[in-house]
Amino acid sequence: MSCSCFGASSVKRKDDDGNGSGDFQGHSLGNIKTFSYKELRTATDNFHPRNKIGRGGFGTVYKGILINGIEVAVKTLSAQSKQGVREFLTEIDIISNVRHTNLVQLIGCCVQETNRILVYEFLQNKSLDIALLGSQAKSTTLDWERRSSICKDTARGLAYLHEEVVPPIVHRDIKASNILLDKDFVPKIGDFGLAKLFPDNITHISTRIAGTAGYLAPEYVLGGQLTKKADVYSFGVLMLEIVSGKNSGKANPVTGMQKLLLEWAWQLYEEERLLEMVDPALEGFPEEEMTRYIKIAFFCTQATASRRPTMSQVVDMLTKNHRLNEKELLAPGFPQDTSARSSSTNKSPSTSTSNQMSSVPISITQVTPR
């Protein structure tokens, strides 16, 4: 149910100052605030390179200051990106109709002439991947308390998209660079350009494969059938990155083997050396809680989609005093990246449509007696 790609640009506007609703190529923009290109050019100092704060698949993001002094993130769509029109309209459709503490807020857009621009709230601490892996990582204090909160709050945001929004939304590109951090390091899920609306009366969507290598669920890669459980898998990989401070898509030189993060983590689990994967920058962390988070990540990345929890169950496991039932834990579905692995020792089983949407077995967690 994502928007289809449209042709040449055509914009109807209510007034000359860029405010008010309108439409874009016959596609209604609803009540979303619209900005003129001149306003956003002024806000970003003519899109000066020093204001560049990120780059996505279809354009560049700049920091801007509106005339009223409000800081914003201005996401421009490349004029040459015909495919990006679909993502631009999808993002407007989806994010303009949802509100949650852990979702980035869309402020408005610009669809003047050939310009297609989204305007978001500005988040001071940029993205999670920069905080964990970027040049600023050493100067950014992401202690375990903050990392734990980021896991919980991101899970809450995803649970909202999957289980509270009507129709539900599958993000399709959950990864560290799409988790933005405000001044207090509260995470907000961003970049809904690949998201899909997911009516409750269907079990899956057959769609082109989209997303980021290392985060993609095996059944989605192999069969192209999208379910909410694909987001759950991506979230599990994200949790391992948060714990380890390592990139999921790169082999781990520490092991001396060409293993990606998930496969290396599972090896450590089997060898009862799980805490060796914890980020060396973390000091004084609670070992029991850390081990628990890693195991929850394994539940999220189970090879068979039906064995993964729902996001509300993940929130429950992260926030309540449950004892995990490890007897239900099987090998994860490792990324299908033969170029980064010397051999394929784990083949992810294909799952039926009905199994993909089944809820996780109730025995995954057991309430710990008090």
Side-chain angles (χ1 to χ4, degrees):
M1 290 189 62
S2 65
C3 302
S4 60
C5 192
F6 295 84
S9 177
S10 174
V11 181
K12 294 180 181 179
R13 303 172 60 81
K14 283 191 173 181
D15 47 47
D16 294 332
D17 66 359
N19 296 316
S21 61
D23 65 43
F24 174 52
Q25 302 171 192
H27 181 91
S28 174
L29 298 177
N31 295 320
I32 184 173
K33 177 181 176 62
T34 57
F35 294 89
S36 69
Y37 182 72
K38 180 180 179 180
E39 285 179 282
L40 299 182
R41 187 175 61 189
T42 300
T44 59
D45 194 12
N46 200 25
F47 300 98
H48 197 284
R50 69 169 174 271
N51 289 322
K52 181 179 175 180
I53 56 176
R55 183 169 182 83
F58 303 101
T60 306
V61 183
Y62 298 87
K63 178 181 178 180
I65 302 178
L66 300 178
I67 194 169
N68 59 6
I70 294 177
E71 294 181 321
V72 292
V74 180
K75 178 181 178 180
T76 63
L77 176 67
S78 171
Q80 290 74 38
S81 177
K82 294 181 179 179
Q83 182 184 20
V85 175
R86 181 192 302 113
E87 282 71 20
F88 175 81
L89 294 173
T90 297
E91 195 149 0
I92 289 176
D93 272 348
I94 291 177
I95 197 64
S96 63
N97 292 316
V98 295
R99 290 287 185 274
H100 189 274
T101 303
N102 301 117
L103 302 181
V104 175
Q105 181 182 348
L106 178 66
I107 295 175
C109 69
C110 170
V111 290
Q112 186 177 354
E113 299 177 352
T114 60
N115 299 295
R116 298 181 288 275
I117 304 173
L118 296 170
V119 182
Y120 283 99
E121 63 176 316
F122 177 75
L123 299 172
Q124 293 85 341
N125 281 306
K126 301 182 180 179
S127 61
L128 178 58
D129 68 323
I130 292 175
L132 281 175
L133 306 170
S135 58
Q136 300 177 9
K138 291 183 178 180
S139 61
T140 300
T141 304
L142 278 184
D143 57 17
W144 175 241
E145 183 178 358
R146 279 180 173 166
R147 297 191 198 204
S148 173
S149 293
I150 289 170
C151 289
K152 293 174 185 176
D153 287 342
T154 303
R156 291 185 180 103
L158 268 178
Y160 171 78
L161 292 174
H162 287 185
E163 301 170 37
E164 296 184 44
V165 175
V166 179
I169 296 169
V170 178
H171 187 281
R172 280 212 299 176
D173 202 18
I174 294 297
K175 59 182 178 180
S177 60
N178 285 339
I179 308 301
L180 306 180
L181 304 172
D182 72 6
K183 60 183 178 62
D184 298 315
F185 291 91
V186 173
K188 294 177 183 283
I189 300 170
D191 201 342
F192 285 76
L194 297 179
K196 291 280 187 179
L197 300 178
F198 209 99
D200 282 326
N201 61 342
I202 63 174
T203 57
H204 69 274
I205 296 174
S206 295
T207 182
R208 65 185 175 90
I209 306 302
T212 303
Y215 291 91
L216 298 177
E219 77 281 354
Y220 180 40
V221 173
L222 296 174
Q225 292 190 342
L226 178 68
T227 74
K228 300 172 188 175
K229 296 300 181 71
D231 276 354
V232 177
Y233 181 96
S234 300
F235 176 77
V237 174
L238 177 68
M239 282 188 64
L240 293 179
E241 289 187 319
I242 292 172
V243 166
S244 67
K246 294 180 174 59
N247 190 315
S248 66
K250 295 182 179 179
N252 181 13
V254 176
T255 65
M257 296 180 288
Q258 294 298 306
K259 289 182 182 290
L260 301 182
L261 179 59
L262 178 58
E263 190 171 1
W264 176 59
W266 183 254
Q267 177 184 321
L268 292 178
Y269 173 75
E270 292 186 311
E271 296 173 357
E272 298 184 350
R273 299 187 295 129
L274 199 52
L275 289 177
E276 290 183 22
M277 74 167 294
V278 176
D279 190 342
L282 286 173
E283 298 178 357
F285 59 86
E287 293 187 2
E288 184 177 347
E289 184 178 29
M290 181 71 76
T291 301
R292 174 186 178 78
Y293 272 53
I294 299 172
K295 291 175 182 177
I296 292 172
F298 289 146
F299 277 116
C300 291
T301 53
Q302 290 290 277
T304 303
S306 62
R307 299 189 66 85
R308 298 173 206 151
T310 63
M311 285 310 305
S312 62
Q313 288 173 320
V314 173
V315 172
D316 198 55
M317 286 190 282
L318 289 171
T319 59
K320 296 183 180 179
N321 190 24
H322 290 302
R323 180 172 58 230
L324 301 178
N325 186 356
E326 291 185 57
K327 293 180 180 179
E328 295 289 337
L329 193 59
L330 303 178
F334 300 127
Q336 302 299 308
D337 187 351
T338 55
S339 65
R341 299 172 60 204
S342 57
S343 63
S344 178
T345 58
N346 180 79
K347 296 186 182 295
S348 303
S350 60
T351 56
S352 68
T353 297
S354 59
N355 281 344
Q356 286 178 333
M357 291 305 294
S358 299
S359 61
V360 68
I362 194 168
S363 56
I364 276 185
T365 61
Q366 299 172 338
V367 178
T368 302
R370 294 186 180 278

